[in-house]
Amino acid sequence: MKMELGIGDPMLQVAGSYAKCVMDPMFKKFWKKSCCPMVLLAIMGPFICVMGGIFLERPVIEPLTDLILCMDRPEDAGERIGMLARLFQALKNAHDRLNIYYTSFETTSPAGSLFFPYRRSYVSEGSTFTFSYDEPVSENKLLWYATSEQTRERLVIKFTKRYDIASHELLSEAGYAPHLYYADPPYDSKEWRMVVVKYIPTARLRDTSAKENPILRQDIHDAIALLHEDGRVFGDLRRGNILIWKSEAGRPRAMLIDFDWSGKEGVARYPYDRNDMEIIWPEGSKPGGTIQRSHDIYFLGGLDQTFS
């Protein structure tokens, strides 16, 4: 807590306090059984920032809100009081749930679960399907390999803020995308959505022959043409979103993955944080701007050289 802005950084200080706390030997019994969740408050004069802390291989602390002014202003017409009341009620709810969590904590609970998301099931067509996480796909993406507990089939679980279910299903039915088992509906653009996809063993581009590359190139063109015929765009048509796999006949084929940016042309938009430093984007496109079919065609030109 700081009495005013500009005297140190309470966010860094509360993060350091959390790290010191959870790494104390008294927390040792929790380390392999819990991610040690805590709600952290950084207070600077009339401002408050709510932060969250968990302990994985190392402490991970992130702000959950911006700096919130905890005083009413004439132009707020009393609305800020209501917002602050909801904020502090949410903090009380979090305190109560954490209190129950720690007072009823069982050290015999399964180890390893702290490294994975808490969601382990989904409901499709009235039936509940469960899965267990195996390992992360990569360290810097919200992607995990998992195994279905009903069929023992391998899955890929993804968490994302936006996802175009219609585009994925359109290409999946035509064989140009992995089967989509489930995706959370777009109930709130601020919430993380879970996507469950069939795992496809991949092949490497260097393992394909020159005579097979035209087949891969045609698969990609056909997939994009199918989207465009339906008035849709893919948006992020780069090498990392193309999956190469081998069919039952042993021939390499291409699929598209990651439909985060896909959607109806003129409605789907580029994210504001797209990488403009390292990627040359189509002329006329911009962060936050609408995605056009011409942009997909631009990237097709670059991929044609990759699969030439």
Side-chain angles (χ1 to χ4, degrees), residues 245-251:
W245 64 290
K246 288 196 174 183
S247 65
E248 294 181 357
R251 300 186 65 183

Side-chain angles (χ1 to χ4, degrees), residues 71-272:
M71 58 183 293
D72 199 20
R73 301 175 300 177
E75 60 266 33
D76 292 330
E79 293 184 1
R80 182 171 295 271
I81 299 298
M83 183 273 290
L84 292 173
R86 293 190 294 272
L87 169 66
F88 287 107
Q89 181 61 55
L91 290 173
K92 181 182 183 301
N93 293 343
H95 171 273
D96 293 345
R97 292 184 63 177
L98 286 172
N99 185 55
I100 294 172
Y101 174 80
Y102 282 110
T103 55
S104 61
F105 185 81
E106 293 289 342
T107 57
T108 56
S109 59
S113 60
L114 69 159
F115 297 107
F116 301 118
Y118 72 92
R119 293 186 62 180
R120 290 173 169 78
S121 66
Y122 63 92
V123 177
S124 178
E125 298 181 350
S127 298
T128 300
F129 298 89
T130 57
F131 56 86
S132 57
Y133 292 98
D134 297 327
E135 59 182 334
V137 175
S138 67
E139 293 184 356
N140 59 352
K141 293 184 178 180
L142 299 179
L143 285 169
W144 287 266
Y145 294 122
T147 300
S148 167
E149 295 183 349
Q150 282 71 41
T151 64
R152 307 311 302 170
E153 183 179 24
R154 203 165 196 207
L155 310 169
V156 175
I157 312 297
K158 175 176 183 171
F159 289 88
T160 179
K161 289 293 184 75
R162 48 188 283 197
Y163 203 80
D164 185 33
I165 299 174
S167 293
H168 190 149
E169 290 181 334
L170 177 66
L171 294 193
S172 177
E173 291 172 1
Y176 296 124
H179 180 69
L180 177 65
Y181 285 110
Y182 175 81
D184 284 332
Y187 40 78
D188 188 334
S189 61
K190 296 181 180 180
E191 297 290 335
W192 289 103
R193 299 170 60 187
M194 183 176 75
V195 179
V196 182
V197 178
K198 177 183 176 66
Y199 168 74
I200 303 292
T202 58
R204 294 174 297 184
L205 178 60
R206 64 187 181 190
D207 292 335
T208 62
S209 64
K211 68 178 182 180
E212 292 169 328
N213 283 344
I215 300 174
L216 301 175
R217 184 168 62 247
Q218 190 61 49
D219 282 344
I220 300 169
H221 276 260
D222 291 345
I224 294 300
L226 191 58
L227 287 175
H228 289 182
E229 288 171 6
D230 196 49
R232 297 185 171 277
V233 290
F234 187 71
D236 195 12
L237 190 59
R238 291 178 289 155
R239 178 68 183 85
N241 290 331
I242 297 172
L243 184 152
I244 300 173
W245 64 290
K246 288 196 174 183
S247 65
E248 294 181 357
R251 300 186 65 183
R253 302 300 301 267
M255 286 183 172
L256 299 186
I257 58 174
D258 289 349
F259 293 81
D260 301 27
W261 298 6
S262 304
K264 283 290 187 178
E265 183 180 20
V267 177
R269 292 179 176 273
Y270 290 104
Y272 285 99

Side-chain angles (χ1 to χ4, degrees), residues 268-285:
R269 292 179 176 273
Y270 290 104
Y272 285 99
D273 61 348
R274 73 177 193 179
N275 186 355
D276 280 3
M277 300 296 293
E278 301 174 332
I279 299 172
I280 300 176
W281 297 93
E283 183 177 356
S285 73

Side-chain angles (χ1 to χ4, degrees), residues 11 14-16 18-19 40 51-54 59-63:
M11 289 194 226
V14 74
Y18 171 80
L40 312 172
M51 306 171 69
I54 57 174
V60 178
I61 302 99
E62 291 188 1

